[in-house]
Amino acid sequence: MPELPEVESVRRSLLPIVGARVERVAVRTRRSLVVPGDPPGGFSRARGDVKPRPVPRGALLDGATIKRLDRHGKQLAIGSGDGRALLIHLGMTGRVEIRDSPRAQTHDHVVWALADGRRVVFNDARRFGGVWALPDTAALHARWNALGPDALTIDASDLRERLRRSARPIKAALLDQAVLAGVGNIYADESLHAARIHPARLASSIRADDAERLAGAIRRILQAAVDAGGSTLRDGTYSDASGAAGSYATRHAAYGRAGEPCTRCDVTLVSDVIAQRTSVWCPRCQRAPRCV
DNA sequence: AATTTCTCCTGCAAGC
DNA sequence: TGCTTGCAGGAGAAAT
């Protein structure tokens, strides 16, 4: 499942399309696309029989030259340089691929045909992801300003300030993109394990020393995962734009390891649902809060 | 206002 | 072998 390291790996692997011109765009699944004027939450979540609006010419960068690739948290922006941008959420199973072959694949939803013959494809089996057509830089800034700071550079005092007034489990707060942008279920469990913090502890109980360990763990783990090209799980769902898998899954200490020994103390890792997400932790290293 | 629950969707694994 | 069932989960909307 793509989180910050996977999205950053996708961004880097897409760099070879900077400078290319988009000749034409094919929308195969309108529901994976949101253009200005679509209902809140995107066309796919509209109630009733809402007729999809046509996609305005140029909204998907057709005719434009790709100038920049940016990322904030788990969101990727492909910009044309004149302010128009494509904002891409990978959701659970979303992929952006550069292909030489024109052959369509199952779950291809949007295809950008470049003037040099390559194709950039948004493919998403589970369709939790999508592409947002943004008309100008203000639209992109509005979306990204609504998110917390990028997790790769979070500092301890900022993190603590953001958690201080929250009566949720720390796990829920870390998954909230308005608190911190980029952490999902894998890296939340990895960071909490490294920082020795129980996932059910109240966010407001995080003290300065906890925040110091947690912010440091988040930055260190995310950077290591970026360096490894992200986490490709056994199901193989994730790979970058060139099809390369990431190797960080071999270094997971908590995620997916319930029932296995803790890498730090050998005690068997346990698992339960916290904040509506399967969570794995070490009952010795990450001490439980009183009422759990 | 803050927090939790519901919902979307498909592929895969386990069980019979 | 082929069916059913359960599970995985990001994040917006709806409910509490």
Side-chain angles (χ1 to χ4, degrees):
Chain A
M1 45 240 56
E3 303 178 25
L4 186 153
E6 290 74 36
V7 178
E8 176 61 16
S9 297
V10 170
R11 190 190 73 83
R12 293 180 183 186
S13 62
L14 276 175
L15 287 171
I17 68 170
V18 171
R21 194 174 65 81
V22 179
E23 198 162 78
R24 63 183 184 282
V25 184
V27 176
R28 300 165 53 93
T29 307
R30 181 65 179 82
R31 293 163 68 88
S32 291
L33 185 62
V34 179
V35 302
D38 279 347
F43 174 71
S44 68
R45 290 179 177 81
R47 287 171 159 275
D49 288 318
V50 179
K51 191 176 177 185
R53 310 172 109 247
V55 179
R57 182 172 296 277
L60 293 176
L61 303 194
D62 25 327
T65 297
I66 294 167
K67 293 287 195 204
R68 49 185 306 144
L69 296 169
D70 298 296
R71 180 195 58 75
H72 186 82
K74 304 174 190 173
Q75 302 187 9
L76 176 69
I78 301 177
S80 70
D82 66 3
R84 279 179 294 163
L86 302 166
L87 184 68
I88 299 181
H89 271 248
L90 296 178
M92 278 292 297
T93 53
R95 316 164 59 92
V96 180
E97 300 176 348
I98 301 174
R99 293 192 204 146
D100 292 321
S101 163
R103 176 196 292 269
Q105 297 182 15
T106 310
H107 307 308
D108 283 353
H109 301 312
V110 185
V111 180
W112 292 265
L114 306 182
D116 58 27
R118 290 178 297 177
R119 279 168 163 72
V120 176
V121 180
F122 175 72
N123 177 291
D124 184 10
R126 219 164 291 177
R127 300 201 343 233
F128 281 10
V131 178
W132 277 250
L134 305 182
D136 48 47
T137 51
L140 181 62
H141 289 149
R143 291 190 69 100
W144 284 1
N145 285 339
L147 301 176
D150 191 73
L152 204 50
T153 54
I154 187 67
D155 74 80
S157 59
D158 189 9
L159 180 62
R160 190 187 178 204
E161 192 54 39
R162 290 171 170 279
L163 299 174
R164 189 195 290 274
R165 278 177 242 75
S166 185
R168 290 180 286 177
I170 180 68
K171 172 83 182 251
L174 290 180
L175 295 177
D176 184 344
Q177 302 300 294
V179 171
L180 183 67
V183 173
N185 206 35
I186 294 175
Y187 297 104
D189 277 7
E190 292 301 307
S191 300
L192 289 169
H193 178 264
R196 308 187 190 215
I197 295 171
H198 193 287
R201 256 184 70 181
L202 285 189
S204 55
S205 79
I206 297 297
R207 296 165 185 284
D209 59 327
D210 298 317
E212 200 70 50
R213 292 197 316 280
L214 183 55
I218 290 169
R219 289 194 308 265
R220 176 168 48 77
I221 287 170
L222 291 179
Q223 186 60 57
V226 168
D227 293 342
S231 298
T232 296
L233 305 181
R234 251 200 315 271
D235 62 15
T237 24
Y238 164 73
S239 61
D240 73 14
S242 65
S247 64
Y248 194 74
T250 60
R251 288 158 65 185
H252 289 175
Y255 181 85
R257 297 194 64 240
E260 298 178 37
C262 174
T263 51
R264 200 161 39 210
C265 75
D266 246 26
V267 161
T268 301
L269 298 178
V270 297
S271 170
D272 203 351
V273 175
I274 294 173
Q276 294 79 47
R277 291 289 172 264
T278 299
S279 304
V280 182
W281 69 93
C282 171
R284 178 184 286 175
C285 296
Q286 299 164 268
R287 260 189 310 177
R290 266 175 313 172
C291 40
V292 174

